[in-house]
Amino acid sequence: MSASTVPLPEPGPVASSVPAPERLSPSRLPFVATAFDRDAVDRELEDVRVLAAQDPASLVLVLAGGLAPVADDALVLVPAAEVPRVDHDPRRPEVYLGRLPGADGERGPRVLLRAVPAAEPADGDAAAEPFAVPEPVVAAVTASAAARGVGELRWAGLRELGSVLPAADTALLVTAQSVGLWHRDHPRCPQCGEPTEVIRSGWARQCPDDRSLHFPRTDPAIIVAVSDGHPDPEQERLLLGRSALWKGNRFSTLAGFVEPGESVEQAVVREVGEEAGLVVGDVHYLGSQPWPFPRSLMLGCRAVVRSGAPVPDGQEILELRWFTRTELRESARTGAVTLPGRVSIAHALIEHWLGEDLPETAW
């Protein structure tokens, strides 16, 4: 859709004809807990990684191919002295994540990220355990956990752990995955191609040739619950779509990246127009969620259809369906549709419109 054909968004909440919905409660938003101190000032002034490595109280979070060590639904953090450093991989440098809360309001131990690639299964057996060929760092975590009497250790990813970990652990893991993936994907200077040097305790990279600075990247994206705006709650309908990337009967809210030069409201109008052929207005921001798969910030919104009939674009969206509240409850209960799980803000947006909790799903 060209810029000339994209309708302008309706005026903001003050002039809107539809009352602004209440914002999403922070307790409903996944991955938003602020349960640790990023120590952003100190990490800028000196390389805190050096201090942390010298402090016997410092801890390490190991990520192996995006999987974290957990036991009893909690992250397993290992004393830094017990985990070997990995200094030879420019795509997986050590990063200082911050400090955990301590007792009586004091600052707790520092936490470092040490990332390694996933080990290949033994003899090419794809069905083997993820770490059939132990990486020394992974083996050190296993040995340390066993020595401290930690419960049964397993390795899992954020999509699985996001809804079961304590808030403090989730916040730490989201941050670790976000900054870790940035380092993995951006080891070279985008201006000249030279390998960059890690600085600022792992939170920036600098080109040794042209001295340009590069910081972790976050891509803003809108995600929107679109309704038909019917004044009767029992007749009002919510629009959900089935993506070309999803198998089975998965349906969710519409989403897309914010383009350069766009506001959030303009992005909502453009994306809904492109994916569903509808003109929407009364766009209201409800809340946000970091989504480190690999580096998005999801900006949750509500919008109301102004004109048009829903037609999927056939490329990103293959099917669109309207649901009344009664239809949505029944479809979720019977499994006629599979809705997003609690790790996604889409789940919170749908519940917010519905006005009640939905069952958790395996998605």
Side-chain angles (χ1 to χ4, degrees):
M1 184 178 291
S2 69
S4 62
T5 60
V6 175
L8 293 176
E10 292 292 315
V14 174
S16 174
S17 60
V18 175
E22 292 185 3
R23 295 276 293 272
L24 283 165
S25 166
S27 65
R28 294 281 184 176
L29 291 169
F31 303 166
V32 299
T34 54
F36 74 101
D37 178 6
R38 291 172 178 260
D39 204 10
V41 174
D42 285 354
R43 78 186 189 206
E44 292 279 322
L45 298 177
E46 58 184 326
D47 193 342
V48 185
R49 296 175 298 174
V50 176
L51 298 177
Q54 298 170 347
D55 182 355
S58 295
L59 301 171
V60 165
L61 170 60
V62 171
L63 288 184
L67 304 182
V70 292
D72 300 323
D73 290 335
L75 285 179
V76 174
L77 303 180
V78 180
E82 299 178 12
V83 180
R85 297 184 63 178
V86 182
D87 295 324
H88 61 277
D89 190 346
R91 301 175 70 229
R92 295 175 178 86
E94 185 173 78
V95 178
Y96 172 55
L97 296 176
R99 304 187 76 141
L100 298 179
D104 301 322
E106 297 293 323
R107 304 179 83 189
R110 298 181 178 94
V111 181
L112 296 166
L113 166 66
R114 290 179 184 165
V116 295
E120 292 296 327
D123 301 323
D125 181 4
E129 289 297 314
F131 306 109
V133 182
E135 161 74 38
V137 173
V138 172
V141 173
T142 302
S144 176
R148 290 181 289 126
V150 173
E152 183 178 353
L153 185 72
R154 66 187 183 94
W155 296 79
L158 179 58
R159 288 181 186 270
E160 175 188 345
L161 298 174
S163 60
V164 299
L165 290 178
D169 286 3
T170 301
L172 197 65
L173 181 55
V174 167
T175 302
Q177 176 155 313
S178 299
V179 69
L181 288 177
W182 173 72
H183 278 295
R184 185 198 69 182
D185 295 342
H186 298 84
R188 292 181 177 272
C189 175
Q191 298 182 169
C192 69
E194 283 294 310
T196 52
E197 299 170 346
V198 179
I199 60 173
R200 302 191 184 184
S201 305
W203 284 88
R205 301 182 76 115
Q206 186 170 37
C207 178
D209 186 32
D210 61 32
R211 310 307 297 170
S212 58
L213 287 172
H214 308 281
F215 299 92
R217 168 179 160 183
T218 297
D219 299 332
I222 60 90
I223 182 166
V224 56
V226 176
S227 83
D228 64 4
H230 196 288
D232 182 351
E234 289 302 312
Q235 297 187 56
E236 186 186 18
R237 298 175 299 169
L238 180 71
L239 184 70
L240 300 178
R242 182 170 62 84
S243 169
L245 301 176
W246 303 334
K247 296 179 180 179
N249 61 347
R250 295 182 175 185
F251 281 79
S252 185
T253 50
L254 303 181
F257 289 106
V258 179
E259 294 188 347
E262 276 189 321
S263 68
V264 170
E265 293 81 2
Q266 289 171 327
V268 167
V269 172
R270 176 184 54 78
E271 282 290 343
V272 176
E274 289 174 354
E275 294 184 353
L278 294 168
V279 176
V280 296
D282 293 295
V283 178
H284 296 282
Y285 169 79
L286 300 182
S288 65
Q289 173 201 14
W291 188 248
F293 304 105
R295 61 186 63 85
S296 297
L297 176 64
M298 306 305 297
L299 306 168
C301 299
R302 178 87 67 84
V304 177
V305 173
R306 288 302 188 198
S307 64
V311 178
D313 64 7
Q315 297 179 355
E316 294 185 46
I317 302 297
L318 298 183
E319 185 179 357
L320 293 164
R321 289 180 58 181
W322 287 111
F323 294 87
T324 65
R325 287 176 169 83
T326 299
E327 291 168 343
L328 189 59
R329 292 188 198 100
E330 183 64 12
S331 296
R333 184 187 67 81
T334 63
V337 299
T338 301
L339 299 176
R342 297 188 189 282
V343 296
S344 170
I345 191 176
H347 185 98
L349 289 171
I350 294 171
E351 285 187 335
H352 186 261
W353 175 83
L354 183 63
E356 62 186 69
D357 290 346
L358 286 166
E360 179 60 299
T361 70
W363 184 3

